[in-house]
Amino acid sequence: MVQSVQLFYALAILLSVPLQLFPAIRIVENGLFKTRSGKADARVKWYKNVFRFGMVLVCTAISWVGAADLDKFVAFIGCFACVPLCYVYPAMLHYKACARTRREKIADIVLIVFGLAACAYTTAQTLKLMMAPAPAKDSPYAHCKG
């Protein structure tokens, strides 16, 4: 039963990759290709197909390299992508859309600067941890993750 659940979970992840990748690839394609659709031009269609295949290969390579230390890889993605998502982007949107008073604008700017500093600090710490040599197998600290 456990193995069947793991199999179905892995299958669900595998089949959801196109849904996860489509929005990001579509945004990049709109910036790269002047012709939006490959329906009229077969050359554009194949350029887009090659680009999409290349993106899948890049994502595969990143996941393959990151799989050895999954906890560090997840921490890197979290600090590099999620810290700005939590602190920087909402403050930027509020600054542009809602902030009317000087106090609101200063608060948004302070939050943006804090978010960027937190992002830089946590990213640097995670990269430092990723680049550190692993302890020897016979070391009493080999089981520690810090």
Side-chain angles (χ1 to χ4, degrees):
M1 185 66 177
V2 172
Q3 289 178 346
S4 64
V5 169
Q6 289 175 343
L7 173 71
F8 286 130
Y9 183 71
L11 190 62
I13 296 296
L14 180 69
L15 295 176
S16 70
V17 168
L19 294 174
Q20 297 170 24
L21 214 50
F22 178 73
I25 285 180
R26 185 62 149 210
I27 291 168
V28 175
E29 280 179 354
N30 288 341
L32 288 178
F33 299 105
K34 301 299 178 208
T35 307
R36 301 273 177 170
S37 175
K39 291 179 184 174
D41 190 1
R43 190 174 185 177
V44 171
K45 181 178 185 175
W46 280 104
Y47 280 145
K48 284 185 175 185
N49 287 339
V50 168
F51 173 73
R52 291 171 185 166
F53 181 71
M55 286 299 291
V56 170
L57 288 179
V58 166
C59 290
T60 302
I62 290 171
S63 65
W64 188 11
V65 169
D69 288 322
L70 187 61
D71 55 341
K72 294 174 187 171
F73 182 69
V74 170
F76 175 72
I77 297 300
C79 63
F80 183 72
C82 296
V83 169
L85 189 63
C86 180
Y87 293 108
V88 178
Y89 304 140
M92 288 172 64
L93 290 172
H94 184 267
Y95 183 84
K96 285 290 190 181
C98 303
R100 302 283 182 249
T101 66
R102 182 179 169 102
R103 183 177 178 194
E104 288 177 340
K105 290 181 180 183
I106 290 172
D108 287 337
I109 291 170
V110 167
L111 191 56
I112 290 169
V113 170
F114 171 76
L116 291 174
C119 178
Y121 177 74
T122 57
T123 301
Q125 290 298 317
T126 304
L127 287 175
K128 182 178 163 185
L129 185 63
M130 290 172 88
M131 300 301 167
K137 296 285 186 198
D138 57 346
S139 168
Y141 304 109
H143 66 282
C144 296
K145 294 285 185 181

